[in-house]
Amino acid sequence: MDHDSGRTELAVHRESLRLIEMVKSSRGEIDSVDTCMVTLTYDGMTAFGEGTPTEYSGVTADDVVDAVAAEGVQILGPNLNNPQLVLDRIEKWDAPAGARMALDGAVHDWIGKAAGRPTWELFRMPRTLGPTVYTISMASPDEAVSAVRKSPDVGALKVKVGGPDDLEALEAIRAVTALPVRIDANEAWDLDTARALTPRLRQLGIQLIEQPFPTTAVDDYHRYREFPDRLPVFLDEGCTDVASVLAARSYADGIVVKLCKAGGIRGARKVMEAGREAGLRTMLSCMCESELAISQAAQLAPLADHIDMDGHLYLSDPPFRGLGLHDRSIVLGDEPGLGVRPSR
């Protein structure tokens, strides 16, 4: 495009996403999450982006919405004639990562719509992602088994854990499924817990653990590496950007990459590339998000060793539709842009 056909318009609002059931982790229980939705209009086309707050780090949906409302139009600039320059400005913007994620997503949606093609096709990405995961909340053994039996047809399960009390639930899950099982402690373990549980978890065939110890307990991570037959460790809360990837090389086996931490597709790609260069495996993941945010992240799926893209599967009234689930894998929409559309 080499013409300026009007100014860039931007609308932003906070959206509450209600979950199909309570989700419980070591951080507490939630039945809804708030996120930031943006609508970008330029050159007769309307595009959408979603930006998720990292509330565990103190950032709220209001913080994200306020940042976009205050500076979003200025960051986008008067037109989208050179989208890569616009994405450069978004990446350098000193705002919550969720705000950058929202604008970055809308621009990527607009790029596809302007070309009349799916964005994944422009990126030469496959339409079908690798097998994805479904997350099981912390629960009693009976509740855990019920959740597994009701879960979608996915390629692996991730179970939220907090300590020794969760072992019975893991044993019950293993008794009813042969799927790979991962666990996520959300920083709840200490080294004694790891020492006590690891042998049994290995017997159960647990594939890996996400963020077992607090982000500040670096010594515990180093000491856990000395355990015989330990579980592979992936950092989530402890790895947000390229700098933290470099620090993680000495005490982790992999990293969990989320657009809401990295600031969108552009930022997450750099984190994934840095992880690969550092010899770390990468898991592309999400929060409880709509199909819009999942579609944003899915543009990077071929760069990941593991796909953990299930946030949209928990929503009771999804604001966007367009993704499919086939043969345990997410299938992207084939409409221009990110392939999803508002459902209401």
Side-chain angles (χ1 to χ4, degrees), residues 262-301:
I265 297 170
R266 174 79 72 90
R269 180 189 298 274
K270 291 187 175 180
V271 173
M272 295 176 82
E273 290 172 346
R276 191 169 295 279
E277 290 175 10
L280 295 165
R281 284 181 283 159
T282 57
M283 180 188 299
L284 184 62
S285 189
C286 61
M287 307 292 271
C288 285
E289 297 168 333
S290 85
E291 294 186 25
L292 175 58
I294 300 299
S295 296
Q296 291 168 211
Q299 309 301 317
L300 301 173

PDB file of all heavy atoms in Angstrom, residues 262-301:
ATOM      1  N   ALA A 262       5.462 -11.449  26.858  1.00  0.00           N
ATOM      2  CA  ALA A 262       6.451 -10.963  25.896  1.00  0.00           C
ATOM      3  C   ALA A 262       5.994  -9.728  25.125  1.00  0.00           C
ATOM      4  O   ALA A 262       6.795  -9.091  24.448  1.00  0.00           O
ATOM      5  CB  ALA A 262       6.797 -12.080  24.911  1.00  0.00           C
ATOM      6  N   GLY A 263       4.689  -9.401  25.203  1.00  0.00           N
ATOM      7  CA  GLY A 263       4.207  -8.201  24.537  1.00  0.00           C
ATOM      8  C   GLY A 263       3.709  -8.427  23.125  1.00  0.00           C
ATOM      9  O   GLY A 263       3.725  -7.517  22.302  1.00  0.00           O
ATOM     10  N   GLY A 264       3.273  -9.647  22.813  1.00  0.00           N
ATOM     11  CA  GLY A 264       2.702  -9.887  21.499  1.00  0.00           C
ATOM     12  C   GLY A 264       3.514 -10.856  20.665  1.00  0.00           C
ATOM     13  O   GLY A 264       4.488 -11.458  21.122  1.00  0.00           O
ATOM     14  N   ILE A 265       3.099 -11.004  19.407  1.00  0.00           N
ATOM     15  CA  ILE A 265       3.717 -11.966  18.492  1.00  0.00           C
ATOM     16  C   ILE A 265       5.184 -11.619  18.266  1.00  0.00           C
ATOM     17  O   ILE A 265       6.058 -12.488  18.326  1.00  0.00           O
ATOM     18  CB  ILE A 265       2.953 -11.996  17.158  1.00  0.00           C
ATOM     19  CG1 ILE A 265       1.516 -12.482  17.377  1.00  0.00           C
ATOM     20  CG2 ILE A 265       3.666 -12.878  16.130  1.00  0.00           C
ATOM     21  CD1 ILE A 265       0.605 -12.311  16.166  1.00  0.00           C
ATOM     22  N   ARG A 266       5.464 -10.361  17.999  1.00  0.00           N
ATOM     23  CA  ARG A 266       6.849  -9.939  17.717  1.00  0.00           C
ATOM     24  C   ARG A 266       7.758 -10.241  18.909  1.00  0.00           C
ATOM     25  O   ARG A 266       8.833 -10.833  18.748  1.00  0.00           O
ATOM     26  CB  ARG A 266       6.858  -8.443  17.384  1.00  0.00           C
ATOM     27  CG  ARG A 266       8.226  -7.816  17.208  1.00  0.00           C
ATOM     28  CD  ARG A 266       8.819  -8.105  15.843  1.00  0.00           C
ATOM     29  NE  ARG A 266       8.163  -7.392  14.781  1.00  0.00           N
ATOM     30  CZ  ARG A 266       8.527  -6.166  14.358  1.00  0.00           C
ATOM     31  NH1 ARG A 266       9.504  -5.511  14.950  1.00  0.00           N
ATOM     32  NH2 ARG A 266       7.918  -5.617  13.338  1.00  0.00           N
ATOM     33  N   GLY A 267       7.342  -9.863  20.112  1.00  0.00           N
ATOM     34  CA  GLY A 267       8.168 -10.091  21.294  1.00  0.00           C
ATOM     35  C   GLY A 267       8.326 -11.563  21.624  1.00  0.00           C
ATOM     36  O   GLY A 267       9.412 -12.032  21.999  1.00  0.00           O
ATOM     37  N   ALA A 268       7.232 -12.323  21.480  1.00  0.00           N
ATOM     38  CA  ALA A 268       7.284 -13.754  21.801  1.00  0.00           C
ATOM     39  C   ALA A 268       8.192 -14.502  20.836  1.00  0.00           C
ATOM     40  O   ALA A 268       8.894 -15.441  21.219  1.00  0.00           O
ATOM     41  CB  ALA A 268       5.882 -14.344  21.788  1.00  0.00           C
ATOM     42  N   ARG A 269       8.188 -14.108  19.574  1.00  0.00           N
ATOM     43  CA  ARG A 269       9.074 -14.747  18.603  1.00  0.00           C
ATOM     44  C   ARG A 269      10.538 -14.582  19.033  1.00  0.00           C
ATOM     45  O   ARG A 269      11.329 -15.540  18.959  1.00  0.00           O
ATOM     46  CB  ARG A 269       8.865 -14.142  17.212  1.00  0.00           C
ATOM     47  CG  ARG A 269       9.764 -14.774  16.139  1.00  0.00           C
ATOM     48  CD  ARG A 269       9.661 -13.989  14.834  1.00  0.00           C
ATOM     49  NE  ARG A 269       8.316 -14.014  14.300  1.00  0.00           N
ATOM     50  CZ  ARG A 269       7.842 -14.984  13.512  1.00  0.00           C
ATOM     51  NH1 ARG A 269       8.625 -16.012  13.193  1.00  0.00           N
ATOM     52  NH2 ARG A 269       6.614 -14.926  13.050  1.00  0.00           N
ATOM     53  N   LYS A 270      10.893 -13.399  19.496  1.00  0.00           N
ATOM     54  CA  LYS A 270      12.280 -13.169  19.919  1.00  0.00           C
ATOM     55  C   LYS A 270      12.636 -14.010  21.137  1.00  0.00           C
ATOM     56  O   LYS A 270      13.756 -14.516  21.255  1.00  0.00           O
ATOM     57  CB  LYS A 270      12.499 -11.680  20.195  1.00  0.00           C
ATOM     58  CG  LYS A 270      12.464 -10.839  18.932  1.00  0.00           C
ATOM     59  CD  LYS A 270      12.844  -9.395  19.188  1.00  0.00           C
ATOM     60  CE  LYS A 270      12.914  -8.629  17.868  1.00  0.00           C
ATOM     61  NZ  LYS A 270      13.285  -7.214  18.055  1.00  0.00           N
ATOM     62  N   VAL A 271      11.679 -14.155  22.073  1.00  0.00           N
ATOM     63  CA  VAL A 271      11.936 -14.985  23.249  1.00  0.00           C
ATOM     64  C   VAL A 271      12.128 -16.443  22.829  1.00  0.00           C
ATOM     65  O   VAL A 271      13.037 -17.134  23.326  1.00  0.00           O
ATOM     66  CB  VAL A 271      10.781 -14.863  24.263  1.00  0.00           C
ATOM     67  CG1 VAL A 271      10.964 -15.853  25.411  1.00  0.00           C
ATOM     68  CG2 VAL A 271      10.697 -13.441  24.816  1.00  0.00           C
ATOM     69  N   MET A 272      11.301 -16.921  21.906  1.00  0.00           N
ATOM     70  CA  MET A 272      11.414 -18.306  21.458  1.00  0.00           C
ATOM     71  C   MET A 272      12.729 -18.541  20.728  1.00  0.00           C
ATOM     72  O   MET A 272      13.390 -19.569  20.914  1.00  0.00           O
ATOM     73  CB  MET A 272      10.224 -18.667  20.567  1.00  0.00           C
ATOM     74  CG  MET A 272       8.899 -18.635  21.308  1.00  0.00           C
ATOM     75  SD  MET A 272       7.458 -18.934  20.246  1.00  0.00           S
ATOM     76  CE  MET A 272       7.483 -20.725  20.169  1.00  0.00           C
ATOM     77  N   GLU A 273      13.118 -17.603  19.901  1.00  0.00           N
ATOM     78  CA  GLU A 273      14.384 -17.742  19.179  1.00  0.00           C
ATOM     79  C   GLU A 273      15.565 -17.719  20.144  1.00  0.00           C
ATOM     80  O   GLU A 273      16.518 -18.496  19.996  1.00  0.00           O
ATOM     81  CB  GLU A 273      14.511 -16.631  18.135  1.00  0.00           C
ATOM     82  CG  GLU A 273      13.535 -16.802  16.968  1.00  0.00           C
ATOM     83  CD  GLU A 273      13.510 -15.607  16.036  1.00  0.00           C
ATOM     84  OE1 GLU A 273      14.045 -14.539  16.425  1.00  0.00           O
ATOM     85  OE2 GLU A 273      12.932 -15.728  14.931  1.00  0.00           O
ATOM     86  N   ALA A 274      15.492 -16.860  21.165  1.00  0.00           N
ATOM     87  CA  ALA A 274      16.556 -16.808  22.167  1.00  0.00           C
ATOM     88  C   ALA A 274      16.628 -18.116  22.951  1.00  0.00           C
ATOM     89  O   ALA A 274      17.720 -18.613  23.269  1.00  0.00           O
ATOM     90  CB  ALA A 274      16.336 -15.636  23.118  1.00  0.00           C
ATOM     91  N   GLY A 275      15.458 -18.677  23.276  1.00  0.00           N
ATOM     92  CA  GLY A 275      15.427 -19.953  23.979  1.00  0.00           C
ATOM     93  C   GLY A 275      16.071 -21.063  23.175  1.00  0.00           C
ATOM     94  O   GLY A 275      16.842 -21.873  23.706  1.00  0.00           O
ATOM     95  N   ARG A 276      15.754 -21.098  21.886  1.00  0.00           N
ATOM     96  CA  ARG A 276      16.341 -22.136  21.035  1.00  0.00           C
ATOM     97  C   ARG A 276      17.860 -21.972  20.961  1.00  0.00           C
ATOM     98  O   ARG A 276      18.608 -22.961  21.048  1.00  0.00           O
ATOM     99  CB  ARG A 276      15.718 -22.057  19.641  1.00  0.00           C
ATOM    100  CG  ARG A 276      16.057 -23.247  18.756  1.00  0.00           C
ATOM    101  CD  ARG A 276      15.196 -23.227  17.494  1.00  0.00           C
ATOM    102  NE  ARG A 276      13.786 -23.417  17.793  1.00  0.00           N
ATOM    103  CZ  ARG A 276      13.224 -24.582  18.017  1.00  0.00           C
ATOM    104  NH1 ARG A 276      13.947 -25.685  18.011  1.00  0.00           N
ATOM    105  NH2 ARG A 276      11.928 -24.662  18.243  1.00  0.00           N
ATOM    106  N   GLU A 277      18.322 -20.734  20.817  1.00  0.00           N
ATOM    107  CA  GLU A 277      19.765 -20.489  20.763  1.00  0.00           C
ATOM    108  C   GLU A 277      20.445 -20.868  22.072  1.00  0.00           C
ATOM    109  O   GLU A 277      21.613 -21.267  22.089  1.00  0.00           O
ATOM    110  CB  GLU A 277      20.032 -19.008  20.443  1.00  0.00           C
ATOM    111  CG  GLU A 277      19.671 -18.608  19.025  1.00  0.00           C
ATOM    112  CD  GLU A 277      19.836 -17.130  18.794  1.00  0.00           C
ATOM    113  OE1 GLU A 277      20.409 -16.449  19.680  1.00  0.00           O
ATOM    114  OE2 GLU A 277      19.396 -16.641  17.735  1.00  0.00           O
ATOM    115  N   ALA A 278      19.713 -20.764  23.182  1.00  0.00           N
ATOM    116  CA  ALA A 278      20.273 -21.086  24.499  1.00  0.00           C
ATOM    117  C   ALA A 278      20.202 -22.579  24.812  1.00  0.00           C
ATOM    118  O   ALA A 278      20.626 -23.008  25.887  1.00  0.00           O
ATOM    119  CB  ALA A 278      19.542 -20.295  25.583  1.00  0.00           C
ATOM    120  N   GLY A 279      19.631 -23.353  23.898  1.00  0.00           N
ATOM    121  CA  GLY A 279      19.520 -24.788  24.128  1.00  0.00           C
ATOM    122  C   GLY A 279      18.351 -25.182  25.008  1.00  0.00           C
ATOM    123  O   GLY A 279      18.309 -26.298  25.534  1.00  0.00           O
ATOM    124  N   LEU A 280      17.385 -24.284  25.174  1.00  0.00           N
ATOM    125  CA  LEU A 280      16.202 -24.556  25.987  1.00  0.00           C
ATOM    126  C   LEU A 280      15.036 -24.968  25.094  1.00  0.00           C
ATOM    127  O   LEU A 280      14.868 -24.438  23.995  1.00  0.00           O
ATOM    128  CB  LEU A 280      15.807 -23.304  26.779  1.00  0.00           C
ATOM    129  CG  LEU A 280      16.810 -22.823  27.823  1.00  0.00           C
ATOM    130  CD1 LEU A 280      16.469 -21.405  28.267  1.00  0.00           C
ATOM    131  CD2 LEU A 280      16.836 -23.762  29.016  1.00  0.00           C
ATOM    132  N   ARG A 281      14.216 -25.894  25.576  1.00  0.00           N
ATOM    133  CA  ARG A 281      12.991 -26.229  24.868  1.00  0.00           C
ATOM    134  C   ARG A 281      11.942 -25.152  25.135  1.00  0.00           C
ATOM    135  O   ARG A 281      11.984 -24.484  26.168  1.00  0.00           O
ATOM    136  CB  ARG A 281      12.484 -27.605  25.305  1.00  0.00           C
ATOM    137  CG  ARG A 281      13.291 -28.757  24.697  1.00  0.00           C
ATOM    138  CD  ARG A 281      12.761 -30.100  25.131  1.00  0.00           C
ATOM    139  NE  ARG A 281      13.174 -30.420  26.493  1.00  0.00           N
ATOM    140  CZ  ARG A 281      12.566 -31.302  27.276  1.00  0.00           C
ATOM    141  NH1 ARG A 281      11.482 -31.937  26.853  1.00  0.00           N
ATOM    142  NH2 ARG A 281      13.011 -31.553  28.490  1.00  0.00           N
ATOM    143  N   THR A 282      11.022 -24.991  24.213  1.00  0.00           N
ATOM    144  CA  THR A 282      10.021 -23.934  24.343  1.00  0.00           C
ATOM    145  C   THR A 282       8.613 -24.516  24.344  1.00  0.00           C
ATOM    146  O   THR A 282       8.294 -25.406  23.563  1.00  0.00           O
ATOM    147  CB  THR A 282      10.135 -22.910  23.204  1.00  0.00           C
ATOM    148  OG1 THR A 282      10.011 -23.585  21.954  1.00  0.00           O
ATOM    149  CG2 THR A 282      11.463 -22.174  23.250  1.00  0.00           C
ATOM    150  N   MET A 283       7.804 -23.998  25.245  1.00  0.00           N
ATOM    151  CA  MET A 283       6.385 -24.333  25.306  1.00  0.00           C
ATOM    152  C   MET A 283       5.594 -23.065  25.020  1.00  0.00           C
ATOM    153  O   MET A 283       5.731 -22.070  25.737  1.00  0.00           O
ATOM    154  CB  MET A 283       6.008 -24.872  26.694  1.00  0.00           C
ATOM    155  CG  MET A 283       4.540 -25.240  26.836  1.00  0.00           C
ATOM    156  SD  MET A 283       4.086 -25.661  28.542  1.00  0.00           S
ATOM    157  CE  MET A 283       5.158 -27.069  28.831  1.00  0.00           C
ATOM    158  N   LEU A 284       4.801 -23.070  23.963  1.00  0.00           N
ATOM    159  CA  LEU A 284       3.949 -21.929  23.634  1.00  0.00           C
ATOM    160  C   LEU A 284       2.656 -22.088  24.409  1.00  0.00           C
ATOM    161  O   LEU A 284       1.948 -23.080  24.262  1.00  0.00           O
ATOM    162  CB  LEU A 284       3.684 -21.889  22.131  1.00  0.00           C
ATOM    163  CG  LEU A 284       2.893 -20.690  21.619  1.00  0.00           C
ATOM    164  CD1 LEU A 284       3.640 -19.384  21.879  1.00  0.00           C
ATOM    165  CD2 LEU A 284       2.610 -20.843  20.125  1.00  0.00           C
ATOM    166  N   SER A 285       2.354 -21.106  25.256  1.00  0.00           N
ATOM    167  CA  SER A 285       1.250 -21.253  26.196  1.00  0.00           C
ATOM    168  C   SER A 285       0.373 -20.004  26.199  1.00  0.00           C
ATOM    169  O   SER A 285       0.550 -19.088  25.394  1.00  0.00           O
ATOM    170  CB  SER A 285       1.807 -21.563  27.590  1.00  0.00           C
ATOM    171  OG  SER A 285       0.781 -21.915  28.489  1.00  0.00           O
ATOM    172  N   CYS A 286      -0.569 -19.965  27.129  1.00  0.00           N
ATOM    173  CA  CYS A 286      -1.576 -18.908  27.155  1.00  0.00           C
ATOM    174  C   CYS A 286      -2.144 -18.786  28.567  1.00  0.00           C
ATOM    175  O   CYS A 286      -1.851 -19.583  29.444  1.00  0.00           O
ATOM    176  CB  CYS A 286      -2.706 -19.228  26.182  1.00  0.00           C
ATOM    177  SG  CYS A 286      -3.565 -20.775  26.580  1.00  0.00           S
ATOM    178  N   MET A 287      -2.978 -17.794  28.751  1.00  0.00           N
ATOM    179  CA  MET A 287      -3.793 -17.682  29.946  1.00  0.00           C
ATOM    180  C   MET A 287      -5.212 -18.162  29.561  1.00  0.00           C
ATOM    181  O   MET A 287      -5.420 -18.704  28.487  1.00  0.00           O
ATOM    182  CB  MET A 287      -3.825 -16.230  30.432  1.00  0.00           C
ATOM    183  CG  MET A 287      -2.447 -15.609  30.617  1.00  0.00           C
ATOM    184  SD  MET A 287      -1.481 -16.324  31.968  1.00  0.00           S
ATOM    185  CE  MET A 287      -2.024 -15.272  33.310  1.00  0.00           C
ATOM    186  N   CYS A 288      -6.192 -17.957  30.449  1.00  0.00           N
ATOM    187  CA  CYS A 288      -7.587 -18.136  30.030  1.00  0.00           C
ATOM    188  C   CYS A 288      -7.912 -16.959  29.124  1.00  0.00           C
ATOM    189  O   CYS A 288      -8.040 -15.817  29.585  1.00  0.00           O
ATOM    190  CB  CYS A 288      -8.516 -18.171  31.244  1.00  0.00           C
ATOM    191  SG  CYS A 288      -8.441 -19.703  32.171  1.00  0.00           S
ATOM    192  N   GLU A 289      -7.997 -17.210  27.838  1.00  0.00           N
ATOM    193  CA  GLU A 289      -8.132 -16.167  26.827  1.00  0.00           C
ATOM    194  C   GLU A 289      -9.148 -16.596  25.776  1.00  0.00           C
ATOM    195  O   GLU A 289      -9.498 -17.784  25.683  1.00  0.00           O
ATOM    196  CB  GLU A 289      -6.782 -15.917  26.144  1.00  0.00           C
ATOM    197  CG  GLU A 289      -5.707 -15.407  27.087  1.00  0.00           C
ATOM    198  CD  GLU A 289      -4.306 -15.440  26.498  1.00  0.00           C
ATOM    199  OE1 GLU A 289      -4.037 -16.275  25.610  1.00  0.00           O
ATOM    200  OE2 GLU A 289      -3.472 -14.645  26.944  1.00  0.00           O
ATOM    201  N   SER A 290      -9.582 -15.646  24.975  1.00  0.00           N
ATOM    202  CA  SER A 290     -10.532 -15.981  23.916  1.00  0.00           C
ATOM    203  C   SER A 290      -9.806 -16.558  22.710  1.00  0.00           C
ATOM    204  O   SER A 290      -8.570 -16.573  22.634  1.00  0.00           O
ATOM    205  CB  SER A 290     -11.327 -14.736  23.516  1.00  0.00           C
ATOM    206  OG  SER A 290     -10.623 -13.980  22.548  1.00  0.00           O
ATOM    207  N   GLU A 291     -10.586 -17.002  21.741  1.00  0.00           N
ATOM    208  CA  GLU A 291     -10.013 -17.547  20.515  1.00  0.00           C
ATOM    209  C   GLU A 291      -9.195 -16.509  19.760  1.00  0.00           C
ATOM    210  O   GLU A 291      -8.312 -16.858  18.963  1.00  0.00           O
ATOM    211  CB  GLU A 291     -11.117 -18.122  19.625  1.00  0.00           C
ATOM    212  CG  GLU A 291     -11.801 -19.328  20.249  1.00  0.00           C
ATOM    213  CD  GLU A 291     -12.798 -20.023  19.337  1.00  0.00           C
ATOM    214  OE1 GLU A 291     -12.668 -19.907  18.100  1.00  0.00           O
ATOM    215  OE2 GLU A 291     -13.712 -20.694  19.861  1.00  0.00           O
ATOM    216  N   LEU A 292      -9.459 -15.238  20.014  1.00  0.00           N
ATOM    217  CA  LEU A 292      -8.669 -14.183  19.376  1.00  0.00           C
ATOM    218  C   LEU A 292      -7.225 -14.233  19.863  1.00  0.00           C
ATOM    219  O   LEU A 292      -6.287 -14.288  19.050  1.00  0.00           O
ATOM    220  CB  LEU A 292      -9.294 -12.815  19.669  1.00  0.00           C
ATOM    221  CG  LEU A 292      -8.519 -11.589  19.170  1.00  0.00           C
ATOM    222  CD1 LEU A 292      -8.303 -11.646  17.667  1.00  0.00           C
ATOM    223  CD2 LEU A 292      -9.259 -10.312  19.575  1.00  0.00           C
ATOM    224  N   ALA A 293      -7.015 -14.219  21.162  1.00  0.00           N
ATOM    225  CA  ALA A 293      -5.655 -14.269  21.708  1.00  0.00           C
ATOM    226  C   ALA A 293      -4.960 -15.575  21.351  1.00  0.00           C
ATOM    227  O   ALA A 293      -3.759 -15.593  21.056  1.00  0.00           O
ATOM    228  CB  ALA A 293      -5.684 -14.092  23.223  1.00  0.00           C
ATOM    229  N   ILE A 294      -5.701 -16.680  21.374  1.00  0.00           N
ATOM    230  CA  ILE A 294      -5.117 -17.967  21.011  1.00  0.00           C
ATOM    231  C   ILE A 294      -4.658 -17.931  19.552  1.00  0.00           C
ATOM    232  O   ILE A 294      -3.580 -18.439  19.205  1.00  0.00           O
ATOM    233  CB  ILE A 294      -6.119 -19.111  21.234  1.00  0.00           C
ATOM    234  CG1 ILE A 294      -6.548 -19.180  22.709  1.00  0.00           C
ATOM    235  CG2 ILE A 294      -5.535 -20.436  20.779  1.00  0.00           C
ATOM    236  CD1 ILE A 294      -5.424 -19.453  23.688  1.00  0.00           C
ATOM    237  N   SER A 295      -5.442 -17.311  18.690  1.00  0.00           N
ATOM    238  CA  SER A 295      -5.066 -17.201  17.279  1.00  0.00           C
ATOM    239  C   SER A 295      -3.827 -16.329  17.105  1.00  0.00           C
ATOM    240  O   SER A 295      -2.996 -16.593  16.224  1.00  0.00           O
ATOM    241  CB  SER A 295      -6.224 -16.628  16.459  1.00  0.00           C
ATOM    242  OG  SER A 295      -7.327 -17.502  16.478  1.00  0.00           O
ATOM    243  N   GLN A 296      -3.697 -15.297  17.933  1.00  0.00           N
ATOM    244  CA  GLN A 296      -2.495 -14.474  17.880  1.00  0.00           C
ATOM    245  C   GLN A 296      -1.266 -15.334  18.190  1.00  0.00           C
ATOM    246  O   GLN A 296      -0.285 -15.346  17.433  1.00  0.00           O
ATOM    247  CB  GLN A 296      -2.596 -13.316  18.886  1.00  0.00           C
ATOM    248  CG  GLN A 296      -3.637 -12.266  18.512  1.00  0.00           C
ATOM    249  CD  GLN A 296      -3.957 -11.284  19.631  1.00  0.00           C
ATOM    250  OE1 GLN A 296      -5.075 -10.782  19.725  1.00  0.00           O
ATOM    251  NE2 GLN A 296      -3.002 -11.000  20.501  1.00  0.00           N
ATOM    252  N   ALA A 297      -1.312 -16.049  19.294  1.00  0.00           N
ATOM    253  CA  ALA A 297      -0.171 -16.869  19.701  1.00  0.00           C
ATOM    254  C   ALA A 297       0.098 -17.996  18.709  1.00  0.00           C
ATOM    255  O   ALA A 297       1.258 -18.374  18.476  1.00  0.00           O
ATOM    256  CB  ALA A 297      -0.409 -17.440  21.096  1.00  0.00           C
ATOM    257  N   ALA A 298      -0.961 -18.535  18.119  1.00  0.00           N
ATOM    258  CA  ALA A 298      -0.815 -19.687  17.232  1.00  0.00           C
ATOM    259  C   ALA A 298       0.041 -19.392  16.010  1.00  0.00           C
ATOM    260  O   ALA A 298       0.562 -20.323  15.379  1.00  0.00           O
ATOM    261  CB  ALA A 298      -2.195 -20.172  16.792  1.00  0.00           C
ATOM    262  N   GLN A 299       0.218 -18.123  15.681  1.00  0.00           N
ATOM    263  CA  GLN A 299       1.077 -17.781  14.548  1.00  0.00           C
ATOM    264  C   GLN A 299       2.518 -18.245  14.771  1.00  0.00           C
ATOM    265  O   GLN A 299       3.305 -18.335  13.821  1.00  0.00           O
ATOM    266  CB  GLN A 299       1.047 -16.265  14.304  1.00  0.00           C
ATOM    267  CG  GLN A 299      -0.336 -15.651  14.199  1.00  0.00           C
ATOM    268  CD  GLN A 299      -1.180 -16.234  13.082  1.00  0.00           C
ATOM    269  OE1 GLN A 299      -0.697 -16.445  11.970  1.00  0.00           O
ATOM    270  NE2 GLN A 299      -2.443 -16.520  13.377  1.00  0.00           N
ATOM    271  N   LEU A 300       2.857 -18.538  16.026  1.00  0.00           N
ATOM    272  CA  LEU A 300       4.234 -18.940  16.376  1.00  0.00           C
ATOM    273  C   LEU A 300       4.365 -20.426  16.665  1.00  0.00           C
ATOM    274  O   LEU A 300       5.437 -20.903  17.032  1.00  0.00           O
ATOM    275  CB  LEU A 300       4.703 -18.145  17.601  1.00  0.00           C
ATOM    276  CG  LEU A 300       4.711 -16.633  17.457  1.00  0.00           C
ATOM    277  CD1 LEU A 300       5.040 -15.967  18.788  1.00  0.00           C
ATOM    278  CD2 LEU A 300       5.700 -16.200  16.382  1.00  0.00           C
ATOM    279  N   ALA A 301       3.291 -21.181  16.487  1.00  0.00           N
ATOM    280  CA  ALA A 301       3.286 -22.586  16.902  1.00  0.00           C
ATOM    281  C   ALA A 301       4.421 -23.422  16.312  1.00  0.00           C
ATOM    282  O   ALA A 301       4.995 -24.264  17.008  1.00  0.00           O
ATOM    283  CB  ALA A 301       1.936 -23.211  16.580  1.00  0.00           C
TER     284      ALA A 301
END
